[in-house]
mmCIF file of all heavy atoms in Angstrom:
data_model
loop_
_atom_site.group_PDB
_atom_site.id
_atom_site.type_symbol
_atom_site.label_atom_id
_atom_site.label_comp_id
_atom_site.label_asym_id
_atom_site.label_seq_id
_atom_site.Cartn_x
_atom_site.Cartn_y
_atom_site.Cartn_z
ATOM 1 N N ILE A 345 165.327 74.200 46.696
ATOM 2 C CA ILE A 345 166.281 74.873 47.562
ATOM 3 C C ILE A 345 167.681 74.287 47.433
ATOM 4 O O ILE A 345 168.646 75.045 47.340
ATOM 5 C CB ILE A 345 165.776 74.803 49.074
ATOM 6 C CG1 ILE A 345 164.560 75.633 49.235
ATOM 7 C CG2 ILE A 345 166.848 75.287 49.996
ATOM 8 C CD1 ILE A 345 163.866 75.397 50.581
ATOM 9 N N ASN A 346 167.753 72.962 47.404
ATOM 10 C CA ASN A 346 169.072 72.328 47.256
ATOM 11 C C ASN A 346 169.684 72.675 45.900
ATOM 12 O O ASN A 346 170.924 72.827 45.796
ATOM 13 C CB ASN A 346 168.855 70.826 47.392
ATOM 14 C CG ASN A 346 168.607 70.391 48.752
ATOM 15 O OD1 ASN A 346 168.914 71.100 49.751
ATOM 16 N ND2 ASN A 346 167.898 69.252 48.932
ATOM 17 N N LEU A 347 168.918 72.797 44.892
ATOM 18 C CA LEU A 347 169.401 73.226 43.538
ATOM 19 C C LEU A 347 169.948 74.618 43.624
ATOM 20 O O LEU A 347 171.015 74.941 43.083
ATOM 21 C CB LEU A 347 168.325 73.156 42.493
ATOM 22 C CG LEU A 347 168.690 73.631 41.093
ATOM 23 C CD1 LEU A 347 169.867 72.914 40.513
ATOM 24 C CD2 LEU A 347 167.479 73.561 40.111
ATOM 25 N N GLU A 348 169.264 75.501 44.224
ATOM 26 C CA GLU A 348 169.719 76.927 44.432
ATOM 27 C C GLU A 348 171.037 76.942 45.197
ATOM 28 O O GLU A 348 171.951 77.745 44.849
ATOM 29 C CB GLU A 348 168.618 77.781 45.061
ATOM 30 C CG GLU A 348 167.387 77.985 44.203
ATOM 31 C CD GLU A 348 166.286 78.649 44.945
ATOM 32 O OE1 GLU A 348 166.457 78.921 46.144
ATOM 33 O OE2 GLU A 348 165.230 78.864 44.309
ATOM 34 N N LYS A 349 171.136 76.181 46.198
ATOM 35 C CA LYS A 349 172.392 76.101 47.003
ATOM 36 C C LYS A 349 173.535 75.558 46.072
ATOM 37 O O LYS A 349 174.685 76.127 46.172
ATOM 38 C CB LYS A 349 172.257 75.157 48.155
ATOM 39 C CG LYS A 349 171.337 75.708 49.275
ATOM 40 C CD LYS A 349 171.108 74.712 50.424
ATOM 41 C CE LYS A 349 172.353 74.141 50.981
ATOM 42 N NZ LYS A 349 172.110 73.119 51.988
ATOM 43 N N ALA A 350 173.249 74.578 45.269
ATOM 44 C CA ALA A 350 174.365 73.988 44.450
ATOM 45 C C ALA A 350 174.829 75.067 43.424
ATOM 46 O O ALA A 350 175.969 75.125 43.038
ATOM 47 C CB ALA A 350 173.793 72.803 43.728
ATOM 48 N N GLU A 351 173.841 75.833 42.899
ATOM 49 C CA GLU A 351 174.216 76.929 41.924
ATOM 50 C C GLU A 351 175.019 78.005 42.569
ATOM 51 O O GLU A 351 175.971 78.521 41.937
ATOM 52 C CB GLU A 351 172.923 77.477 41.262
ATOM 53 C CG GLU A 351 172.195 76.514 40.331
ATOM 54 C CD GLU A 351 170.889 76.978 39.895
ATOM 55 O OE1 GLU A 351 170.377 77.969 40.501
ATOM 56 O OE2 GLU A 351 170.319 76.459 38.941
ATOM 57 N N THR A 352 174.721 78.296 43.833
ATOM 58 C CA THR A 352 175.508 79.264 44.559
ATOM 59 C C THR A 352 176.947 78.766 44.824
ATOM 60 O O THR A 352 177.860 79.443 44.700
ATOM 61 C CB THR A 352 174.806 79.624 45.947
ATOM 62 O OG1 THR A 352 173.524 80.134 45.721
ATOM 63 C CG2 THR A 352 175.637 80.587 46.701
ATOM 64 N N GLU A 353 176.977 77.425 45.185
ATOM 65 C CA GLU A 353 178.320 76.857 45.414
ATOM 66 C C GLU A 353 179.149 76.768 44.092
ATOM 67 O O GLU A 353 180.311 76.879 44.144
ATOM 68 C CB GLU A 353 178.140 75.457 46.003
ATOM 69 C CG GLU A 353 177.603 75.424 47.460
ATOM 70 C CD GLU A 353 177.249 74.102 47.894
ATOM 71 O OE1 GLU A 353 177.381 73.111 47.191
ATOM 72 O OE2 GLU A 353 176.734 73.946 49.061
ATOM 73 N N LEU A 354 178.414 76.608 42.967
ATOM 74 C CA LEU A 354 179.158 76.555 41.732
ATOM 75 C C LEU A 354 179.801 77.933 41.373
ATOM 76 O O LEU A 354 181.017 78.015 41.021
ATOM 77 C CB LEU A 354 178.142 76.257 40.581
ATOM 78 C CG LEU A 354 178.696 76.155 39.175
ATOM 79 C CD1 LEU A 354 179.822 75.019 39.035
ATOM 80 C CD2 LEU A 354 177.664 75.846 38.181
ATOM 81 N N THR A 355 179.046 79.004 41.673
ATOM 82 C CA THR A 355 179.629 80.332 41.612
ATOM 83 C C THR A 355 180.751 80.522 42.514
ATOM 84 O O THR A 355 181.817 81.142 42.144
ATOM 85 C CB THR A 355 178.520 81.428 41.823
ATOM 86 O OG1 THR A 355 177.433 81.202 40.857
ATOM 87 C CG2 THR A 355 179.107 82.840 41.577
ATOM 88 N N GLU A 356 180.582 80.094 43.760
ATOM 89 C CA GLU A 356 181.661 80.221 44.727
ATOM 90 C C GLU A 356 182.930 79.377 44.305
ATOM 91 O O GLU A 356 183.999 79.926 44.506
ATOM 92 C CB GLU A 356 181.165 79.725 46.104
ATOM 93 C CG GLU A 356 182.172 79.706 47.185
ATOM 94 C CD GLU A 356 182.628 81.085 47.690
ATOM 95 O OE1 GLU A 356 181.836 82.062 47.353
ATOM 96 O OE2 GLU A 356 183.618 81.235 48.323
ATOM 97 N N THR A 357 182.713 78.231 43.762
ATOM 98 C CA THR A 357 183.848 77.425 43.333
ATOM 99 C C THR A 357 184.615 78.117 42.200
ATOM 100 O O THR A 357 185.853 78.101 42.122
ATOM 101 C CB THR A 357 183.271 76.024 42.742
ATOM 102 O OG1 THR A 357 182.647 75.374 43.830
ATOM 103 C CG2 THR A 357 184.494 75.179 42.263
ATOM 104 N N GLU A 358 183.815 78.750 41.236
ATOM 105 C CA GLU A 358 184.528 79.520 40.164
ATOM 106 C C GLU A 358 185.414 80.586 40.727
ATOM 107 O O GLU A 358 186.552 80.767 40.266
ATOM 108 C CB GLU A 358 183.425 80.067 39.261
ATOM 109 C CG GLU A 358 184.055 80.786 37.990
ATOM 110 C CD GLU A 358 183.035 81.367 37.088
ATOM 111 O OE1 GLU A 358 181.811 81.221 37.468
ATOM 112 O OE2 GLU A 358 183.321 81.906 36.064
ATOM 113 N N GLN A 359 184.922 81.352 41.668
ATOM 114 C CA GLN A 359 185.679 82.443 42.288
ATOM 115 C C GLN A 359 186.898 81.894 43.011
ATOM 116 O O GLN A 359 188.017 82.463 42.975
ATOM 117 C CB GLN A 359 184.799 83.314 43.143
ATOM 118 C CG GLN A 359 183.618 83.960 42.426
ATOM 119 C CD GLN A 359 184.066 84.847 41.277
ATOM 120 O OE1 GLN A 359 185.045 85.664 41.466
ATOM 121 N NE2 GLN A 359 183.406 84.700 40.157
ATOM 122 N N ARG A 360 186.642 80.837 43.743
ATOM 123 C CA ARG A 360 187.718 80.179 44.492
ATOM 124 C C ARG A 360 188.870 79.674 43.591
ATOM 125 O O ARG A 360 190.080 79.830 43.915
ATOM 126 C CB ARG A 360 187.199 79.069 45.393
ATOM 127 C CG ARG A 360 188.290 78.335 46.145
ATOM 128 C CD ARG A 360 187.688 77.254 47.047
ATOM 129 N NE ARG A 360 186.802 76.347 46.277
ATOM 130 C CZ ARG A 360 187.225 75.298 45.547
ATOM 131 N NH1 ARG A 360 188.601 75.120 45.525
ATOM 132 N NH2 ARG A 360 186.375 74.518 44.942
ATOM 133 N N ILE A 361 188.504 79.084 42.455
ATOM 134 C CA ILE A 361 189.483 78.540 41.511
ATOM 135 C C ILE A 361 190.270 79.706 40.959
ATOM 136 O O ILE A 361 191.520 79.595 40.774
ATOM 137 C CB ILE A 361 188.743 77.753 40.374
ATOM 138 C CG1 ILE A 361 188.172 76.453 40.988
ATOM 139 C CG2 ILE A 361 189.683 77.455 39.269
ATOM 140 C CD1 ILE A 361 187.277 75.735 39.973
ATOM 141 N N LYS A 362 189.648 80.859 40.614
ATOM 142 C CA LYS A 362 190.395 82.002 40.153
ATOM 143 C C LYS A 362 191.464 82.398 41.150
ATOM 144 O O LYS A 362 192.600 82.733 40.762
ATOM 145 C CB LYS A 362 189.450 83.118 39.842
ATOM 146 C CG LYS A 362 188.537 82.904 38.633
ATOM 147 C CD LYS A 362 187.637 84.081 38.389
ATOM 148 C CE LYS A 362 186.712 83.919 37.240
ATOM 149 N NZ LYS A 362 185.790 85.045 36.968
ATOM 150 N N LEU A 363 191.078 82.461 42.471
ATOM 151 C CA LEU A 363 192.061 82.852 43.486
ATOM 152 C C LEU A 363 193.095 81.790 43.640
ATOM 153 O O LEU A 363 194.256 82.150 43.823
ATOM 154 C CB LEU A 363 191.273 83.046 44.791
ATOM 155 C CG LEU A 363 192.150 83.392 45.979
ATOM 156 C CD1 LEU A 363 192.847 84.738 45.813
ATOM 157 C CD2 LEU A 363 191.269 83.454 47.249
ATOM 158 N N GLU A 364 192.793 80.532 43.519
ATOM 159 C CA GLU A 364 193.777 79.471 43.656
ATOM 160 C C GLU A 364 194.766 79.506 42.530
ATOM 161 O O GLU A 364 196.000 79.302 42.754
ATOM 162 C CB GLU A 364 193.062 78.103 43.685
ATOM 163 C CG GLU A 364 192.339 77.764 44.989
ATOM 164 C CD GLU A 364 191.664 76.464 45.014
ATOM 165 O OE1 GLU A 364 191.642 75.844 43.913
ATOM 166 O OE2 GLU A 364 191.157 76.044 46.045
ATOM 167 N N ILE A 365 194.279 79.830 41.324
ATOM 168 C CA ILE A 365 195.205 79.890 40.195
ATOM 169 C C ILE A 365 196.199 81.078 40.397
ATOM 170 O O ILE A 365 197.409 80.921 40.192
ATOM 171 C CB ILE A 365 194.417 80.021 38.894
ATOM 172 C CG1 ILE A 365 193.683 78.810 38.545
ATOM 173 C CG2 ILE A 365 195.371 80.431 37.762
ATOM 174 C CD1 ILE A 365 192.755 78.953 37.358
ATOM 175 N N ALA A 366 195.656 82.192 40.767
ATOM 176 C CA ALA A 366 196.500 83.402 40.964
ATOM 177 C C ALA A 366 197.536 83.117 42.128
ATOM 178 O O ALA A 366 198.732 83.530 42.004
ATOM 179 C CB ALA A 366 195.646 84.604 41.370
ATOM 180 N N SER A 367 197.068 82.506 43.229
ATOM 181 C CA SER A 367 197.883 82.159 44.351
ATOM 182 C C SER A 367 199.014 81.155 43.962
ATOM 183 O O SER A 367 200.149 81.319 44.347
ATOM 184 C CB SER A 367 197.099 81.624 45.533
ATOM 185 O OG SER A 367 197.929 81.252 46.620
ATOM 186 N N ALA A 368 198.611 80.113 43.195
ATOM 187 C CA ALA A 368 199.609 79.091 42.799
ATOM 188 C C ALA A 368 200.635 79.668 41.841
ATOM 189 O O ALA A 368 201.803 79.381 41.911
ATOM 190 C CB ALA A 368 198.852 77.955 42.109
ATOM 191 N N LYS A 369 200.246 80.557 40.954
ATOM 192 C CA LYS A 369 201.145 81.225 40.080
ATOM 193 C C LYS A 369 202.142 82.134 40.898
ATOM 194 O O LYS A 369 203.401 82.175 40.620
ATOM 195 C CB LYS A 369 200.485 82.108 39.020
ATOM 196 C CG LYS A 369 199.814 81.279 37.918
ATOM 197 C CD LYS A 369 199.168 82.232 36.872
ATOM 198 C CE LYS A 369 198.571 81.473 35.777
ATOM 199 N NZ LYS A 369 197.985 82.378 34.711
ATOM 200 N N SER A 370 201.605 82.813 41.885
ATOM 201 C CA SER A 370 202.474 83.672 42.676
ATOM 202 C C SER A 370 203.439 82.779 43.509
ATOM 203 O O SER A 370 204.655 83.145 43.633
ATOM 204 C CB SER A 370 201.586 84.476 43.735
ATOM 205 O OG SER A 370 202.417 85.159 44.583
ATOM 206 N N ASP A 371 203.007 81.681 44.051
ATOM 207 C CA ASP A 371 203.862 80.815 44.868
ATOM 208 C C ASP A 371 204.952 80.249 43.961
ATOM 209 O O ASP A 371 206.108 80.066 44.417
ATOM 210 C CB ASP A 371 203.043 79.611 45.460
ATOM 211 C CG ASP A 371 202.156 80.191 46.579
ATOM 212 O OD1 ASP A 371 202.376 81.285 47.079
ATOM 213 O OD2 ASP A 371 201.217 79.429 46.979
ATOM 214 N N TYR A 372 204.607 79.872 42.704
ATOM 215 C CA TYR A 372 205.602 79.281 41.794
ATOM 216 C C TYR A 372 206.646 80.276 41.446
ATOM 217 O O TYR A 372 207.860 79.974 41.422
ATOM 218 C CB TYR A 372 204.880 78.701 40.587
ATOM 219 C CG TYR A 372 205.826 78.111 39.547
ATOM 220 C CD1 TYR A 372 206.679 77.154 39.874
ATOM 221 C CD2 TYR A 372 205.744 78.563 38.221
ATOM 222 C CE1 TYR A 372 207.576 76.549 38.971
ATOM 223 C CE2 TYR A 372 206.626 78.002 37.277
ATOM 224 C CZ TYR A 372 207.491 77.042 37.644
ATOM 225 O OH TYR A 372 208.383 76.470 36.721
ATOM 226 N N GLN A 373 206.232 81.555 41.163
ATOM 227 C CA GLN A 373 207.150 82.566 40.803
ATOM 228 C C GLN A 373 208.098 82.810 41.930
ATOM 229 O O GLN A 373 209.338 83.011 41.774
ATOM 230 C CB GLN A 373 206.438 83.808 40.318
ATOM 231 C CG GLN A 373 207.348 84.876 39.711
ATOM 232 C CD GLN A 373 206.572 85.975 39.068
ATOM 233 O OE1 GLN A 373 205.380 86.017 39.160
ATOM 234 N NE2 GLN A 373 207.320 86.837 38.399
ATOM 235 N N PHE A 374 207.534 82.863 43.110
ATOM 236 C CA PHE A 374 208.330 83.110 44.327
ATOM 237 C C PHE A 374 209.361 82.017 44.557
ATOM 238 O O PHE A 374 210.500 82.207 44.934
ATOM 239 C CB PHE A 374 207.468 83.302 45.618
ATOM 240 C CG PHE A 374 208.293 83.360 46.884
ATOM 241 C CD1 PHE A 374 208.982 84.497 47.200
ATOM 242 C CD2 PHE A 374 208.345 82.241 47.689
ATOM 243 C CE1 PHE A 374 209.677 84.568 48.359
ATOM 244 C CE2 PHE A 374 209.067 82.320 48.872
ATOM 245 C CZ PHE A 374 209.756 83.434 49.189
ATOM 246 N N ALA A 375 208.926 80.753 44.309
ATOM 247 C CA ALA A 375 209.855 79.556 44.471
ATOM 248 C C ALA A 375 211.041 79.732 43.543
ATOM 249 O O ALA A 375 212.160 79.399 44.057
ATOM 250 C CB ALA A 375 209.076 78.307 44.215
ATOM 251 N N ILE A 376 210.760 80.110 42.331
ATOM 252 C CA ILE A 376 211.915 80.265 41.376
ATOM 253 C C ILE A 376 212.855 81.364 41.826
ATOM 254 O O ILE A 376 214.059 81.205 41.843
ATOM 255 C CB ILE A 376 211.372 80.539 39.961
ATOM 256 C CG1 ILE A 376 210.578 79.310 39.500
ATOM 257 C CG2 ILE A 376 212.556 80.875 39.036
ATOM 258 C CD1 ILE A 376 209.939 79.513 38.131
ATOM 259 N N GLU A 377 212.277 82.516 42.218
ATOM 260 C CA GLU A 377 213.102 83.626 42.715
ATOM 261 C C GLU A 377 213.861 83.233 43.955
ATOM 262 O O GLU A 377 215.019 83.562 44.127
ATOM 263 C CB GLU A 377 212.243 84.840 42.964
ATOM 264 C CG GLU A 377 211.573 85.432 41.636
ATOM 265 C CD GLU A 377 210.509 86.428 41.948
ATOM 266 O OE1 GLU A 377 210.203 86.680 43.145
ATOM 267 O OE2 GLU A 377 210.023 87.115 40.991
ATOM 268 N N ASP A 378 213.190 82.495 44.877
ATOM 269 C CA ASP A 378 213.785 82.117 46.120
ATOM 270 C C ASP A 378 214.923 81.160 45.852
ATOM 271 O O ASP A 378 216.008 81.177 46.557
ATOM 272 C CB ASP A 378 212.728 81.524 47.087
ATOM 273 C CG ASP A 378 213.265 81.290 48.458
ATOM 274 O OD1 ASP A 378 213.800 82.244 49.098
ATOM 275 O OD2 ASP A 378 213.200 80.097 48.951
ATOM 276 N N TYR A 379 214.749 80.252 44.915
ATOM 277 C CA TYR A 379 215.784 79.319 44.591
ATOM 278 C C TYR A 379 217.045 80.004 44.117
ATOM 279 O O TYR A 379 218.173 79.694 44.499
ATOM 280 C CB TYR A 379 215.335 78.320 43.489
ATOM 281 C CG TYR A 379 216.388 77.543 42.816
ATOM 282 C CD1 TYR A 379 217.186 76.613 43.477
ATOM 283 C CD2 TYR A 379 216.657 77.815 41.447
ATOM 284 C CE1 TYR A 379 218.198 75.918 42.803
ATOM 285 C CE2 TYR A 379 217.683 77.149 40.798
ATOM 286 C CZ TYR A 379 218.468 76.244 41.457
ATOM 287 O OH TYR A 379 219.396 75.536 40.790
ATOM 288 N N GLN A 380 216.837 80.944 43.167
ATOM 289 C CA GLN A 380 217.979 81.730 42.684
ATOM 290 C C GLN A 380 218.667 82.495 43.741
ATOM 291 O O GLN A 380 219.949 82.611 43.802
ATOM 292 C CB GLN A 380 217.516 82.640 41.512
ATOM 293 C CG GLN A 380 216.997 81.911 40.324
ATOM 294 C CD GLN A 380 216.298 82.823 39.308
ATOM 295 O OE1 GLN A 380 215.872 83.930 39.668
ATOM 296 N NE2 GLN A 380 216.184 82.397 38.082
ATOM 297 N N ASN A 381 217.866 83.075 44.682
ATOM 298 C CA ASN A 381 218.475 83.759 45.804
ATOM 299 C C ASN A 381 219.234 82.876 46.731
ATOM 300 O O ASN A 381 220.338 83.235 47.118
ATOM 301 C CB ASN A 381 217.347 84.502 46.545
ATOM 302 C CG ASN A 381 217.840 85.234 47.784
ATOM 303 O OD1 ASN A 381 218.755 86.056 47.665
ATOM 304 N ND2 ASN A 381 217.263 84.999 48.961
ATOM 305 N N LYS A 382 218.671 81.709 47.016
ATOM 306 C CA LYS A 382 219.319 80.695 47.921
ATOM 307 C C LYS A 382 220.613 80.221 47.304
ATOM 308 O O LYS A 382 221.598 79.862 47.955
ATOM 309 C CB LYS A 382 218.406 79.606 48.279
ATOM 310 C CG LYS A 382 217.238 79.992 49.152
ATOM 311 C CD LYS A 382 217.656 80.521 50.471
ATOM 312 C CE LYS A 382 216.435 80.672 51.431
ATOM 313 N NZ LYS A 382 215.558 81.718 50.982
ATOM 314 N N LYS A 383 220.620 80.102 45.957
ATOM 315 C CA LYS A 383 221.817 79.604 45.266
ATOM 316 C C LYS A 383 222.969 80.620 45.398
ATOM 317 O O LYS A 383 224.165 80.241 45.647
ATOM 318 C CB LYS A 383 221.464 79.430 43.780
ATOM 319 C CG LYS A 383 222.525 78.655 42.999
ATOM 320 C CD LYS A 383 222.018 78.310 41.628
ATOM 321 C CE LYS A 383 223.029 77.446 40.876
ATOM 322 N NZ LYS A 383 222.512 77.122 39.542
ATOM 323 N N GLU A 384 222.651 81.906 45.302
ATOM 324 C CA GLU A 384 223.652 82.967 45.467
ATOM 325 C C GLU A 384 224.089 83.000 46.927
ATOM 326 O O GLU A 384 225.253 83.174 47.231
ATOM 327 C CB GLU A 384 223.031 84.301 45.075
ATOM 328 C CG GLU A 384 222.781 84.372 43.536
ATOM 329 C CD GLU A 384 222.048 85.673 43.185
ATOM 330 O OE1 GLU A 384 221.764 86.472 44.190
ATOM 331 O OE2 GLU A 384 221.698 85.900 42.003
ATOM 332 N N ASN A 385 223.110 82.857 47.878
ATOM 333 C CA ASN A 385 223.480 82.882 49.297
ATOM 334 C C ASN A 385 224.451 81.737 49.613
ATOM 335 O O ASN A 385 225.375 81.865 50.475
ATOM 336 C CB ASN A 385 222.215 82.751 50.130
ATOM 337 C CG ASN A 385 221.397 84.035 50.100
ATOM 338 O OD1 ASN A 385 221.874 85.045 49.609
ATOM 339 N ND2 ASN A 385 220.185 83.942 50.606
ATOM 340 N N LEU A 386 224.257 80.557 49.038
ATOM 341 C CA LEU A 386 225.115 79.426 49.317
ATOM 342 C C LEU A 386 226.518 79.739 48.849
ATOM 343 O O LEU A 386 227.524 79.396 49.587
ATOM 344 C CB LEU A 386 224.578 78.142 48.685
ATOM 345 C CG LEU A 386 225.444 76.916 48.856
ATOM 346 C CD1 LEU A 386 225.662 76.565 50.329
ATOM 347 C CD2 LEU A 386 224.891 75.711 48.083
ATOM 348 N N ALA A 387 226.672 80.250 47.698
ATOM 349 C CA ALA A 387 227.985 80.667 47.136
ATOM 350 C C ALA A 387 228.707 81.672 48.143
ATOM 351 O O ALA A 387 229.918 81.503 48.392
ATOM 352 C CB ALA A 387 227.813 81.216 45.787
ATOM 353 N N LEU A 388 227.906 82.588 48.601
ATOM 354 C CA LEU A 388 228.496 83.581 49.563
ATOM 355 C C LEU A 388 228.843 82.893 50.852
ATOM 356 O O LEU A 388 229.953 83.194 51.398
ATOM 357 C CB LEU A 388 227.462 84.679 49.821
ATOM 358 C CG LEU A 388 227.188 85.633 48.659
ATOM 359 C CD1 LEU A 388 226.099 86.581 48.979
ATOM 360 C CD2 LEU A 388 228.454 86.454 48.317
ATOM 361 N N ALA A 389 228.014 82.010 51.322
ATOM 362 C CA ALA A 389 228.264 81.343 52.570
ATOM 363 C C ALA A 389 229.516 80.429 52.500
ATOM 364 O O ALA A 389 230.344 80.291 53.466
ATOM 365 C CB ALA A 389 227.040 80.505 53.061
ATOM 366 N N GLU A 390 229.671 79.797 51.343
ATOM 367 C CA GLU A 390 230.873 78.945 51.164
ATOM 368 C C GLU A 390 232.124 79.827 51.123
ATOM 369 O O GLU A 390 233.133 79.422 51.780
ATOM 370 C CB GLU A 390 230.766 78.217 49.808
ATOM 371 C CG GLU A 390 229.714 77.079 49.842
ATOM 372 C CD GLU A 390 229.556 76.454 48.508
ATOM 373 O OE1 GLU A 390 229.955 77.050 47.462
ATOM 374 O OE2 GLU A 390 228.964 75.357 48.431
ATOM 375 N N ARG A 391 232.134 81.022 50.488
ATOM 376 C CA ARG A 391 233.293 81.821 50.501
ATOM 377 C C ARG A 391 233.598 82.384 51.884
ATOM 378 O O ARG A 391 234.755 82.427 52.350
ATOM 379 C CB ARG A 391 233.107 82.989 49.534
ATOM 380 C CG ARG A 391 233.162 82.625 48.031
ATOM 381 C CD ARG A 391 233.422 83.794 47.151
ATOM 382 N NE ARG A 391 232.339 84.767 47.197
ATOM 383 C CZ ARG A 391 231.291 84.675 46.350
ATOM 384 N NH1 ARG A 391 231.210 83.702 45.459
ATOM 385 N NH2 ARG A 391 230.344 85.589 46.401
ATOM 386 N N ILE A 392 232.551 82.689 52.623
ATOM 387 C CA ILE A 392 232.760 83.210 53.960
ATOM 388 C C ILE A 392 233.339 82.130 54.870
ATOM 389 O O ILE A 392 234.273 82.381 55.695
ATOM 390 C CB ILE A 392 231.419 83.686 54.547
ATOM 391 C CG1 ILE A 392 230.938 84.976 53.838
ATOM 392 C CG2 ILE A 392 231.529 83.992 56.035
ATOM 393 C CD1 ILE A 392 229.583 85.409 54.189
ATOM 394 N N GLU A 393 232.806 80.888 54.753
ATOM 395 C CA GLU A 393 233.278 79.771 55.577
ATOM 396 C C GLU A 393 234.779 79.486 55.247
ATOM 397 O O GLU A 393 235.590 79.246 56.169
ATOM 398 C CB GLU A 393 232.407 78.567 55.330
ATOM 399 C CG GLU A 393 232.625 77.457 56.413
ATOM 400 C CD GLU A 393 233.777 76.481 56.052
ATOM 401 O OE1 GLU A 393 234.108 76.487 54.908
ATOM 402 O OE2 GLU A 393 234.224 75.775 56.966
ATOM 403 N N THR A 394 235.071 79.538 53.979
ATOM 404 C CA THR A 394 236.503 79.237 53.577
ATOM 405 C C THR A 394 237.463 80.352 54.114
ATOM 406 O O THR A 394 238.546 80.043 54.591
ATOM 407 C CB THR A 394 236.555 79.202 51.989
ATOM 408 O OG1 THR A 394 235.744 78.186 51.513
ATOM 409 C CG2 THR A 394 238.024 78.940 51.594
#
Side-chain angles (χ1 to χ4, degrees):
I345 292 172
N346 289 333
L347 174 59
E348 293 172 357
K349 288 174 57 180
E351 291 173 344
T352 302
E353 290 173 0
L354 181 61
T355 303
E356 177 69 17
T357 299
E358 181 180 6
Q359 299 303 314
R360 177 177 55 79
I361 291 172
K362 290 180 180 179
L363 178 61
E364 287 179 352
I365 292 175
S367 178
K369 285 184 176 182
S370 176
D371 291 343
Y372 178 54
Q373 188 168 9
F374 172 75
I376 293 176
E377 294 170 353
D378 190 53
Y379 163 68
Q380 294 169 342
N381 179 52
K382 292 297 190 295
K383 194 173 182 180
E384 294 174 0
N385 289 347
L386 176 60
L388 292 173
E390 286 175 343
R391 288 199 294 270
I392 292 172
E393 194 273 343
T394 301

